[in-house]
Every structure is written in C-alpha cells, then in structure tokens.
Amino acid sequence: MRQPAQPSSSDLVLLGEVIRAVVRRGRLPPADAEDFSQGVQLKFLESGYEAFARFDGRSSLRTYLTTVVWRLLLDWRTAAYGKWRPCAAARRLGPQAVRLDRLLNRDGLTVDEAIQVASRAPEAAPEHVLRLIADRLPRRRRHVVVPDDVLQLVAREFPDPIEARERAVKARRTRLALGQAFSQLKPEERRLMSLRFRQSLTVREIAGILNVDARRLYRTFDRLVGKLRRDMGTFGLTDLTFPC
C-alpha cells in the first residue's frame, strides 16, 4: 500500500532511526555525521517528503528508507571525498592550485567562494594571486557513481502522470512555505542558511569563513532548522517534525 505524501510522526521517527543507522554503517566522524544528517533532513523537507509518496510496499518501509538514505550518503561522500584527484594543471601549479581545484571541481564552489575559503588556509597566497591561479584551472563536471548492487535495491517505477502532478503541486506548496519561512529569518540568519544549504558549504567551512566556533555554529543551525519547521507549519504545512 502506498504511503501518504505527508508522513506520520511514527514514519519520521523511523526515518531518524534509519539516518542514524546509515551514519553508523558509513562510519562517519561526528562532524561529518551531523553535516550529512542535516542535509538529509532538509532534502526530505524541501521535496515535500516525496520519497514517502513513492513507497509502494514491495519491501518494508525501513528497508526502503535505508536504500534512499544510503544513496544520499553515496552521493554526499562522492561529492565530499569521492574519486576526485587533482588535475595535471593543478599539480603543476602547486598546493594553492590543488586546493582551489578541490574547492571548484569537487565541492562545486564558485570562483569567489573558493577563493574566500582558500584564503583562510595557512600560508594562503593573496586573493589576487588565487584568482589568477583559478583562471588557469580547467573546469570539470562532477559525476556521481552509485554501485550496481545499490541501484538494484530500488526497482524503477513506471511514471504515473497523476501522481507526478500531485507531487508537483505539493512540491510547489512546500517551496512556497519554505520561502515564506525563510523570509522571516534575520538577514544574518538567511546568509547562514544560504551558505549551508544553497551553496552547500559544510559547517566547518562556514565557521572558517566567518571565524567563529564550529560547535557553536552547529547549535545555531539546529535552532534555525527548528524555526523554519515551526514557521512552515504556520504557513499551512503541518506535522513537519524533523528526525533527530
């Protein structure tokens, strides 16, 4: 039986358990575990919990959610640490270029963002030198490779136009509510959330840019995510409890 698009409180508790289990299985260090867990929570929220709507009962809900979250971990790990190697041009140009190559081509930062992050590193070159180096680096597309055995865990479904339309409507409602809740944040809070979730910087990178304590910043993001959840409820989306 297909799950409703809006999960129940027990479904969200199960999702939290699955996220923690995947983090343990993936052996993520504490800081990375928190980054990944927060990212999964936001992806589920921004999609209007679409993954629950796709569940068709061919396995247990726990098994299905484990597959979904594990695929997110593979994508996250590939983006963060994956099969990336500095290009030949970066190796020829030295450590500053290797760092910029990683930020631009592995982490997906813009040139300005990459320079800002790289300039915080010990013995970093001046920003105008970093920009010259960045201009000499080739841009590469990032590819996410998912093992075949993981892909086989989720059967491909035939697209149902009615369900697709319903999901699109709910996704629009979610984006509208999220946008309204986001507008209620203070300017400095909006900047933090944009750095974290729109520009995909880690909490540690943001802490380095802003020169603040990373542990304190983690607590700040927990508070802001909770505020967004509560405010989205006031804009018409209810039962938006985040998993722990």
Side-chain angles (χ1 to χ4, degrees):
M1 180 177 180
R2 183 175 293 277
Q3 284 289 117
Q6 182 60 53
S8 66
S9 296
S10 61
D11 289 337
L12 292 173
V13 169
L14 176 60
L15 176 59
E17 294 174 355
V18 167
I19 292 173
R20 290 191 291 272
V22 169
V23 165
R24 288 194 299 270
R25 179 181 172 190
R27 298 182 179 179
L28 295 181
D32 286 348
E34 191 157 1
D35 277 346
F36 171 72
S37 298
Q38 287 183 350
V40 171
Q41 293 168 4
L42 195 70
K43 282 181 182 295
F44 270 80
L45 177 64
E46 287 182 332
S47 69
Y49 295 99
E50 182 182 357
F52 282 93
R54 294 199 305 267
F55 177 61
D56 61 5
R58 284 184 284 179
S59 66
S60 70
L61 181 58
R62 181 183 293 273
T63 298
Y64 169 77
L65 289 175
T66 297
T67 300
V68 173
V69 175
W70 186 255
R71 292 184 68 174
L72 291 174
L73 176 61
L74 292 175
D75 290 352
W76 180 88
R77 181 175 280 160
T78 300
Y81 307 108
K83 299 178 180 179
W84 176 88
R85 297 291 184 275
C87 65
R91 292 196 297 270
R92 286 196 301 270
L93 292 172
Q96 307 277 352
V98 169
R99 184 178 300 113
L100 283 172
D101 187 35
R102 182 182 70 248
L103 294 169
L104 291 167
N105 291 314
R106 188 195 71 180
D107 299 340
L109 272 62
T110 66
V111 172
D112 289 340
E113 292 164 352
I115 289 173
Q116 191 174 20
V117 172
S119 66
R120 298 280 182 175
E123 301 181 359
E127 289 192 9
H128 72 278
V129 174
L130 292 175
R131 189 170 297 277
L132 290 174
I133 294 173
D135 289 342
R136 297 180 62 183
L137 294 174
R139 299 296 185 265
R140 294 180 283 171
R141 290 187 177 183
R142 292 183 296 166
H143 299 281
V144 175
V145 179
V146 180
D148 291 339
D149 58 342
V150 175
L151 289 175
Q152 292 170 1
L153 292 176
V154 179
R156 183 175 300 172
E157 296 184 3
F158 184 84
D160 186 320
I162 296 177
E163 292 176 358
R165 184 166 60 250
E166 291 174 350
R167 289 196 296 269
V169 170
K170 184 166 184 63
R172 284 195 296 271
R173 289 182 59 241
T174 300
R175 286 194 297 271
L176 177 60
L178 182 59
Q180 290 174 316
F182 186 80
S183 69
Q184 303 301 310
L185 298 178
K186 298 176 182 178
E188 60 271 21
E189 294 174 335
R190 292 198 297 270
R191 182 192 177 203
L192 283 175
M193 297 300 281
S194 294
L195 287 170
R196 177 69 185 91
F197 295 113
R198 290 182 176 171
Q199 300 183 28
S200 299
L201 296 182
T202 67
V203 175
R204 283 174 293 174
E205 287 174 335
I206 297 170
I209 292 172
L210 302 180
N211 196 26
V212 298
D213 181 67
R215 289 173 295 183
R216 182 177 178 182
L217 196 57
Y218 277 115
R219 293 192 293 270
T220 298
F221 278 114
D222 285 340
R223 176 179 60 81
L224 292 178
V225 168
K227 180 175 176 11
L228 283 177
R229 174 183 57 77
R230 292 189 299 272
D231 288 348
M232 287 182 71
T234 68
F235 292 122
L237 292 181
T238 58
D239 194 21
L240 290 171
T241 303
F242 277 89
C244 299

